[in-house]
Amino acid sequence: MKRSDELIDLSREHHSALRLARQLQRGERVPDLARQLDALLAHFAAEEQRFADVLDTTPGDRALYTRLKREHADLEQALRQAVRGLGLARAGELLAAHVRFEERELFERIEALGALVEI
């Protein structure tokens, strides 16, 4: 799917997140998982910053933003567990589901609104 210029970098980062999710779902230990977690946390922060004002337009949009933040917090906790070698498959499942949510629902809505804050 073609993404708007404002979302293309975030969408490309999702490809890496999906590769990581597949590794974790297979129960593979990922040697550089702590580094990847740091990159994901930066990605989460960028999304939350960029989308806060855009998604403050209607109750439905605010609900999307609330879901985004909740899933980011859940993912951070699950991935921190995975860094310690615990719950790898669960972390992978959560990450894959989150990327699907962002690509299929959140980004579609943001593009429909047509107003993003650059960071």
Side-chain angles (χ1 to χ4, degrees):
M1 162 179 302
K2 177 119 169 78
R3 283 281 168 231
S4 65
D5 290 342
E6 295 85 6
L7 292 174
I8 195 72
D9 289 339
L10 293 172
S11 193
R12 285 181 181 144
E13 290 174 6
H14 286 162
H15 292 288
S16 298
L18 287 173
R19 280 194 302 274
L20 174 61
R22 281 192 297 275
Q23 286 180 283
L24 293 171
Q25 286 173 314
R26 291 189 300 256
E28 295 177 20
R29 293 204 64 167
V30 180
D32 65 342
L33 185 55
R35 182 190 57 77
Q36 290 190 52
L37 173 58
D38 289 341
L40 282 168
L41 293 177
H43 175 92
F44 296 167
E47 287 177 335
E48 290 177 19
Q49 179 184 354
R50 289 178 76 180
F51 303 157
D53 291 336
V54 174
L55 294 174
D56 195 28
T57 57
T58 67
D61 293 335
R62 282 190 293 275
L64 282 175
Y65 185 69
T66 298
R67 178 179 174 186
L68 174 77
K69 288 177 57 173
R70 184 186 71 245
E71 288 188 12
H72 283 169
D74 292 346
L75 271 167
E76 179 178 0
Q77 182 179 10
L79 289 166
R80 287 193 187 284
Q81 291 286 322
V83 166
R84 296 195 322 259
L86 305 171
L88 300 177
R90 179 177 181 277
E93 290 165 11
L94 289 174
L95 183 57
H98 179 71
V99 169
R100 283 192 301 273
F101 157 67
E102 287 190 356
E103 289 290 336
R104 294 177 184 168
E105 294 179 52
L106 184 71
F107 284 14
E108 290 292 319
R109 179 60 183 151
I110 288 168
E111 287 181 327
L113 291 170
L116 268 181
V117 175
E118 286 296 318
I119 57 169

